[in-house]
């Protein structure tokens, strides 16, 4: 039987600008991407978050149609979180044009009792204080995951320290990990992040893949370097990191084994996360995630295995 994952993140209306075009007022947010990715792997998860009174019911229906329950997404008076981002020709680099916090800024999250029993708590990219509040309420969780953002690492340094000490797995990209660790070397940053508390650290390298770090019970550090899914053309990388996290969380619901995933399971989870994140970049926003099926994911996983296996 699968363990239950609880996913918390923003539910947003995004405007996306890339060298390939523009998408105005489309469904997005870290929670949405993570949940859509997780549903490809598990049916045993719940999404929590808050939306404003302007949130179109068509989005709820679309999510439900893909197997993501919106039962625990609250609706409050006000505006839904909104983000506008612009990507450069090198789409590893982006600029936030505007952020409207809306109802997310004042929402007082109180988990219902039925969600506090989740075994896998997933705090996607929101502010560290909100992530910490969510994880504190998940008292039964045996595995906790959190993603980070550079601006919050700088502005909420104390909470970032507290959050790293509380999670089993921390995910950062190169820039974030280097900012936190005070180094220009991502490998060194990964080692330093392990010293801050997590048992596992993933440093994401954008189009260069990702590295999984783990300090085992004998204090030996293991590394697994996973290449990225090869993209002939990247349309829009928005949500790739959130989808990576959601797919990994979905996979881990099947193999926690009392809260301790084994090393091979973690490696397979990273591979699956990589494949899903690559698919996200092929279309604007959540279009690829809505279209991707479990059978297509399985076929891509087989392709990826053939690409990366050697004797």
């Amino acid at each position: 039987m699968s363990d239950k994952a609880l996913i918390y993140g923003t539910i947003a209306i995004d405007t996306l600008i890339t060298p390939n075009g523009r998408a105005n007022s489309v469904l997005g947010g870290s929670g949405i991407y993570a949940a859509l990715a997780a549903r490809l792997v598990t049916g045993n998860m719940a999404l929590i978050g808050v939306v404003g009174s302007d949130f179109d019911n068509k989005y709820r229906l679309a999510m439900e149609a893909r197997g993501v329950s919106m039962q625990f997404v609250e609706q409050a008076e006000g505006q839904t979180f909104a983000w506008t981002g612009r990507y450069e020709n090198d789409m590893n680099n982006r600029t936030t044009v505007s952020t409207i916090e809306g109802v997310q800024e004042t929402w007082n999250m109180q988990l219902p009792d039925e969600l506090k029993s989740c075994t896998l708590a997933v705090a996607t990219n929101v502010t560290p204080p909100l992530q910490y509040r969510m994880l504190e309420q998940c008292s039964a969780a045996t595995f906790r995951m959190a993603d980070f953002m550079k601006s919050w690492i700088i502005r909420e340094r104390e909470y970032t320290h507290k959050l790293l000490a509380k999670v089993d797995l921390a995910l950062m990209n190169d820039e974030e990990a280097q900012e936190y660790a005070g180094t220009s070397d991502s490998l060194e940053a990964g080692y330093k992040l392990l010293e801050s508390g997590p048992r596992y650290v993933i440093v994401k390298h954008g189009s260069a893949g990702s590295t999984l770090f783990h300090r085992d019970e004998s204090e030996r550090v293991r590394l697994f370097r996973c290449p990225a899914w090869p993209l002939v053309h990247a349309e829009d990388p928005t949500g790739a990191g959130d989808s990576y996290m959601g797919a990994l969380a979905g996979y881990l619901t099947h193999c926690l084994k009392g809260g301790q995933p084994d090393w091979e399971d973690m490696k397979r989870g990273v591979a699956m996360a990589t494949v899903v994140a690559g698919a996200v970049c092929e279309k604007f926003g959540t279009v690829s995630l809505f279209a991707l099926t479990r059978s297509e994911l399985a076929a891509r996983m087989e392709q990826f295995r053939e690409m990366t296996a050697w004797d």
Side-chain angles (χ1 to χ4, degrees):
M1 181 176 177
S2 294
D3 288 304
K4 187 177 184 67
L6 177 60
I7 296 173
Y8 169 48
T10 57
I11 299 169
I13 303 301
D14 289 343
T15 294
L16 312 170
I17 308 163
T18 84
N20 303 305
R22 179 180 181 125
N24 295 316
S25 301
V26 295
L27 179 64
S30 58
I32 292 292
Y33 282 98
L36 283 171
R39 63 94 193 176
L40 289 163
V41 192
T42 182
N44 204 11
M45 60 96 175
L47 171 66
I48 58 166
V50 62
V51 297
S53 49
D54 59 343
F55 191 74
D56 198 316
N57 194 54
K58 70 180 181 182
Y59 297 134
R60 285 184 179 271
L61 296 176
M63 293 293 287
E64 296 275 0
R66 290 301 184 278
V68 179
S69 171
M70 300 290 280
Q71 176 186 356
F72 300 105
V73 174
E74 292 186 29
Q75 190 157 27
E77 189 64 33
Q79 185 174 351
T80 301
F81 182 93
W83 179 77
T84 299
R86 182 189 304 275
Y87 292 87
E88 300 174 15
N89 287 326
D90 176 359
M91 284 195 285
N92 288 315
N93 300 316
R94 76 178 184 193
T95 302
T96 293
V97 177
S98 69
T99 301
I100 300 171
E101 293 287 342
V103 294
Q104 175 74 34
E105 189 171 23
T106 56
W107 184 46
N108 182 24
M109 182 207 320
Q110 296 295 328
L111 294 184
D113 290 339
E114 60 201 287
L115 294 184
K116 292 178 182 178
S117 61
C118 71
T119 47
L120 184 67
V122 184
T124 69
N125 208 342
V126 294
T127 69
L130 289 175
Q131 291 173 305
Y132 194 83
R133 185 189 306 170
M134 177 263 194
L135 294 177
E136 274 195 314
Q137 293 182 49
C138 296
S139 55
T142 56
F143 199 86
R144 296 174 172 86
M145 303 168 57
D147 203 359
F148 294 80
M149 181 182 283
K150 182 179 177 181
S151 59
W152 296 118
I153 292 171
I154 296 170
R155 290 156 58 182
E156 298 279 1
R157 190 76 179 182
E158 184 178 342
Y159 260 110
T160 301
H161 289 316
K162 288 175 62 177
L163 191 59
L164 282 167
K166 196 172 188 63
V167 299
D168 300 284
L169 169 61
L171 298 93
M172 295 187 184
N173 64 26
D174 287 308
E175 192 177 16
E176 293 155 356
Q178 291 170 15
E179 173 64 37
Y180 177 80
T183 177
S184 59
D185 184 271
S186 292
L187 187 63
E188 182 183 1
Y191 279 97
K192 287 190 174 181
L193 282 165
L194 278 180
E195 294 170 2
S196 299
R199 289 183 286 154
Y200 299 90
V201 167
I202 292 174
V203 178
K204 297 170 288 183
H205 313 300
S207 59
S210 60
T211 303
L212 170 67
F213 300 75
H214 171 49
R215 190 181 303 278
D216 65 21
E217 291 160 354
S218 65
E219 295 300 306
R220 178 171 65 109
V221 175
R222 286 179 164 183
L223 299 181
F224 171 59
R225 183 65 181 267
C226 186
W229 174 265
L231 282 168
V232 176
H233 175 71
E235 191 79 9
D236 168 33
T238 304
D242 303 313
S243 302
Y244 181 112
M245 187 180 192
L248 176 56
Y251 182 79
L252 290 178
T253 63
H254 300 292
C255 51
L256 275 184
K257 300 172 185 174
Q260 304 289 332
D262 67 32
W263 179 239
E264 294 303 317
D265 278 330
M266 287 297 295
K267 288 163 63 177
R268 281 189 288 270
V270 165
M272 181 169 288
T274 298
V275 171
V276 173
V280 171
C281 300
E282 294 174 353
K283 302 289 183 183
F284 267 95
T286 56
V287 172
S288 290
L289 275 179
F290 272 108
L292 191 61
T293 63
R294 291 187 176 188
S295 60
E296 184 181 350
L297 174 57
R300 289 186 181 223
M301 283 294 292
E302 179 59 23
Q303 282 182 271
F304 197 57
R305 187 196 63 77
E306 292 175 356
M307 292 175 200
T308 55
W310 59 279
D311 190 337

